[in-house]
């Protein structure tokens, strides 16, 4: 019974220990890395917006044909 309780108490302790190790290993990105990530995110927004625009552009006439302009 005591071993099970000890194992149950070790789970949060290990989680906190691993989390602090992870945070100590993390570093802030430098300017070049930040710009590269920002550009990748921006390109992703543009691509997803373009895809959404074309899907909507195709959906409107198809919906009018199927529904019949109700």
């Amino acid at each position: 019974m005591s071993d099970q309780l000890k194992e149950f108490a070790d789970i949060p302790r290990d989680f906190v220990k691993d989390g602090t190790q992870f945070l100590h290993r993390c570093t802030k990105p430098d300017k070049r890395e930040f710009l590269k990530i920002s550009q990748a995110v921006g390109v992703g927004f543009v691509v997803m917006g373009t895809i959404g625009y074309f899907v909507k552009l195709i959906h409107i006439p198809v919906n009018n044909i199927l529904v019949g302009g109700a």
Side-chain angles (χ1 to χ4, degrees):
M1 182 75 168
S2 176
D3 292 335
Q4 290 176 343
L5 199 58
K6 193 171 191 173
E7 286 179 25
F8 187 70
D10 284 342
I11 293 172
R13 189 177 305 128
D14 291 339
F15 178 75
V16 170
K17 187 176 97 176
D18 291 341
T20 54
Q21 286 177 349
F22 176 75
L23 288 177
H24 286 294
R25 230 183 254 182
C26 291
T27 58
K28 287 179 75 172
D30 59 347
K31 186 176 182 178
R32 184 170 105 11
E33 185 179 6
F34 179 76
L35 288 174
K36 194 167 208 153
I37 291 170
S38 299
Q39 287 174 345
V41 169
V43 168
F45 273 119
V46 169
V47 167
M48 292 302 290
T50 305
I51 291 171
Y53 176 75
F54 283 115
V55 167
K56 187 70 172 178
L57 197 64
I58 293 169
H59 178 267
I60 291 171
V62 170
N63 192 25
N64 285 338
I65 291 170
L66 293 176
V67 175

